Amino acid sequence: MAVVGTWNLENLYRPGGEFGPRDPAAYEAKLKALSGTITRISPDVLGVEEVGDPAALGDLVSLLGGEWHVALSRHPDARGIRVGFVSRLPLQVLHDIAGFSHPLSPVQADDNGATTFQTSRGVLAVRVEPRPGTTLDLVVCHLKSKLLSFPGKRFQPRDEGERARFGAYALYRRSAEAVTVRTLADGLLDRQGDKRGVIVLGDLNDEPEAATTQILLGPPGSEIGTVGERRPDKGDATRLWNLAPLIPEAERHSRVYHGRGELIDHILVSRAVLERVESVRSVVDHGLPSVGDEPAARRDAADSDHAPIVATLSI
């Protein structure tokens, strides 16, 4: 068996600075909570998001039992957060990209007409070998947030027009990022998804039916729960399946926003992996706080505001 997961660690920084916990005690409490959850779910490979300080991830991994391997993207965002993997299996880095895929054009980013051709955070692809002769290619991403930021480091708009515009700018970028991740997945699948084990995971910052999430699926018509799910067709060579419908309904959320549960963290798999999925769950048994639009309000929080999403595979 192999256990694969994704978890947004929520602003993992060492104490101090603009975003880290204000004192060592809060930091130690967070490391204890995060390491306890990781130990409990016991992943073989875990995609991680919001690693603000590579040294902090090292502190976290040092609390886990056994030997672990770490790979981090070299492309953080303006706050310094990035994606990566922690794994019991050796990691071979395949790709670490930060530019939109060709032929996408830059997208508008603010009211002054500034544009960007970069993903919010780097997108990292690795290869592992769960058993001799069997490989899995995994992609971790963290798409542009729905939590909007405005000029002057504000998290509240001056008016509803500004909110709408910056919501659109975020959507433009998240859409281009989804296309970029899909393009990377296309290369790994190489039209052999029924034979190649490919997994795309991470914080997509939107729910399963959102247009940006749907971009990642590829050819439509065979989603889990439809009549085409177990009916092979030529689209299987390039298709990805979102495992969200396999999460028990009571657990089908990974964050609570203004009191409403939402599933914004996802695992998508190729046909070769879908055939080996034993179970999928959102690990919400430790409880999730309800969050709002002020990220700094949780800098001293003793856990993450996201739940890990974990899939068990018969490999």
Side-chain angles (χ1 to χ4, degrees):
M1 306 293 277
V3 178
V4 174
T6 179
W7 196 12
N8 183 319
L9 302 175
E10 190 191 12
N11 291 328
L12 182 62
Y13 296 89
R14 279 183 164 175
E18 186 177 357
F19 306 107
R22 278 173 281 239
D23 63 75
Y27 179 62
E28 294 300 326
K30 179 160 187 168
L31 291 182
K32 181 179 179 180
L34 296 179
S35 63
T37 297
I38 294 173
T39 298
R40 188 164 67 254
I41 63 179
S42 191
D44 293 288
V45 187
L46 181 67
V48 290
E49 301 85 51
E50 290 204 15
V51 177
D53 185 344
L57 184 62
D59 293 341
L60 174 59
V61 170
S62 71
L63 298 178
L64 307 176
E67 181 182 3
W68 290 82
H69 306 270
V70 176
L72 282 174
S73 171
R74 297 166 297 161
H75 305 289
D77 69 5
R79 288 192 294 139
I81 62 173
R82 70 199 76 204
V83 303
F85 287 97
V86 295
S87 172
R88 298 181 190 274
L89 305 170
L91 297 165
Q92 176 189 354
V93 174
L94 302 177
H95 304 280
D96 184 9
I97 62 174
F100 296 161
S101 60
H102 181 77
L104 289 176
S105 298
V107 297
Q108 186 174 350
D110 63 25
D111 283 350
N112 295 322
T115 60
T116 182
F117 191 66
Q118 298 290 309
T119 58
S120 304
R121 274 73 57 167
V123 181
L124 184 66
V126 300
R127 177 169 292 164
V128 299
E129 191 172 355
R131 67 180 186 189
T134 299
T135 61
L136 284 176
D137 292 347
L138 300 101
V139 178
V140 62
C141 60
H142 184 186
L143 303 190
K144 174 64 178 174
S145 178
K146 293 191 296 180
L147 296 178
L148 304 180
S149 57
F150 302 93
K153 296 186 177 181
R154 290 179 290 117
F155 291 103
Q156 296 297 327
R158 291 193 175 95
D159 53 46
E160 291 311 301
E162 186 180 51
R163 187 197 304 274
R165 292 192 304 277
F166 276 80
Y169 304 149
L171 183 58
Y172 301 161
R173 192 171 190 176
R174 191 160 62 253
S175 298
E177 291 172 350
V179 172
T180 299
V181 175
R182 177 65 221 190
T183 301
L184 177 56
D186 285 340
L188 297 174
L189 291 163
D190 194 27
R191 298 184 178 274
Q192 300 180 68
D194 49 347
K195 303 178 185 67
R196 290 193 172 188
V198 176
I199 301 175
V200 174
L201 46 75
D203 180 353
L204 304 187
N205 264 309
D206 228 330
E207 298 187 82
E209 299 304 321
T212 50
T213 308
Q214 294 286 308
I215 285 172
L216 296 173
L217 301 183
S222 292
E223 290 85 358
I224 292 172
T226 69
V227 294
E229 176 190 351
R230 299 293 176 177
R231 185 182 298 164
D233 63 35
K234 63 181 182 180
D236 287 359
T238 53
R239 187 174 281 130
L240 291 172
W241 279 260
N242 192 334
L243 301 184
L246 300 181
I247 299 172
E249 188 171 356
E251 298 178 359
R252 208 170 294 164
H253 60 281
S254 60
R255 188 180 74 162
V256 178
Y257 177 61
H258 287 303
R260 186 183 76 86
E262 55 182 16
L263 184 61
I264 62 173
D265 301 88
H266 301 268
I267 300 177
L268 299 91
V269 303
S270 64
R271 168 63 85 176
V273 179
L274 181 65
E275 302 295 339
R276 295 182 175 274
V277 175
E278 295 289 326
S279 65
V280 189
R281 63 172 306 209
S282 174
V283 184
V284 296
D285 52 344
H286 64 293
L288 287 174
S290 178
V291 299
D293 298 318
E294 297 282 350
R298 287 186 46 81
R299 65 180 298 182
D300 293 320
D303 209 336
S304 172
D305 60 346
H306 287 242
I309 305 297
V310 180
T312 300
L313 312 175
S314 59
I315 296 177

